[in-house]
Amino acid sequence: MNNETDISRLHAMPSTSGYGTSAQALAEQYESVTFIEVHREVLHLFPTQPSTVLDIGAGSGRDAAALAARGHRVIAAEPTAELRTLGRRLHADRDIEWVDDALPRLPRLTAHEQRFDLILLTAVWMHLDARQRPSAMGSLVSLLKDEARVVLSLRHGPVPAGRRMFPVSAAETISLADSHGLDVVHEAEREDPHGRPGVAWTYLGFQLNA
């Protein structure tokens, strides 16, 4: 994006733009790599005992299914109906609660009193613009148990056609998290697991202050 018209158009797009019409292809892409490979940088941050986990932007349910298989109670929040349908079908053998909800407000989840030991956001945060990210961070913190963790990944590189993504740095995200009472406990960078040219990732782990 290199001019004001392009930037305005990007802001006007919904955060889920392009995902519904490409749901089948995206689900195949997501499922082509394993949970362990995608999250190899942060596996040590996931609970080892059965816990309550919220997977925001759950997509095809790959991560939610892997976490459920480890004995966790998992809620998968996915705003794209087509991906929710595919996720339910692909991982029907796993006990996953699917919810139609999205950042920055997460209105359905924040309306209840449930709190989580872990909130996972895989390739989600860059869909939020600078005005949305502070309220989104507040929504996350409101759903955490004491000393619970947030694990998220930031995508860097070219924006696919028809998608809404914004450049967001690790430094900005760490500062925002700190202002909401989250301590950074891990930061790592890695190549794209799908091998896409010019795409790289930052993985961040946060823990709620005691």
Side-chain angles (χ1 to χ4, degrees):
M1 297 295 167
N2 53 19
N3 60 58
E4 291 184 4
T5 301
D6 286 338
I7 293 171
S8 296
R9 186 181 300 117
L10 189 61
H11 280 280
M13 293 169 65
S15 61
T16 57
S17 181
Y19 284 86
T21 55
S22 304
Q24 182 65 50
L26 288 169
E28 292 174 2
Q29 175 185 308
Y30 300 155
E31 297 290 327
S32 71
V33 290
T34 67
F35 169 83
I36 290 175
E37 168 58 19
V38 171
H39 297 290
R40 69 186 190 198
E41 309 293 341
V42 289
L43 289 173
H44 63 288
L45 298 177
F46 293 106
T48 56
Q49 299 298 317
S51 303
T52 55
V53 178
L54 172 60
D55 183 8
I56 297 176
S60 65
R62 176 200 61 213
D63 297 345
L67 290 162
R70 295 180 175 205
H72 302 304
R73 180 173 180 267
V74 183
I75 293 181
E78 174 51 57
T80 302
E82 294 87 348
L83 284 172
R84 288 199 310 276
T85 298
L86 285 168
R88 287 190 177 101
R89 188 180 75 217
L90 289 168
H91 301 291
D93 59 332
R94 297 301 180 196
D95 186 12
I96 302 168
E97 180 182 346
W98 287 87
V99 177
D100 177 9
D101 213 354
L103 290 168
R105 296 295 184 185
L106 294 168
R108 288 174 177 80
L109 288 165
T110 54
H112 299 87
E113 305 217 349
Q114 185 171 4
R115 298 294 180 267
F116 298 90
D117 299 292
L118 172 71
I119 298 179
L120 178 63
L121 302 96
T122 306
V124 170
W125 201 248
M126 71 280 182
H127 292 299
L128 304 170
D129 64 31
R131 294 170 296 181
Q132 294 174 316
R133 291 194 289 268
S135 62
M137 191 67 75
S139 296
L140 296 180
V141 170
S142 74
L143 294 171
L144 291 172
K145 295 180 181 178
D146 290 343
E147 300 187 4
R149 289 175 175 169
V150 175
V151 174
L152 64 83
S153 59
L154 303 174
R155 185 186 192 275
H156 311 291
V159 178
R163 303 279 178 80
R164 179 187 194 262
M165 296 182 188
F166 301 91
V168 55
S169 69
E172 177 204 308
T173 308
I174 291 169
S175 177
L176 181 60
D178 178 71
S179 71
H180 284 79
L182 292 169
D183 294 326
V184 60
V185 293
H186 186 77
E187 178 181 358
E189 297 180 358
R190 64 163 295 179
E191 78 288 351
D192 181 44
H194 298 285
R196 289 167 292 193
V199 177
W201 296 85
T202 300
Y203 282 77
L204 296 172
F206 300 102
Q207 184 163 319
L208 188 63
N209 294 337

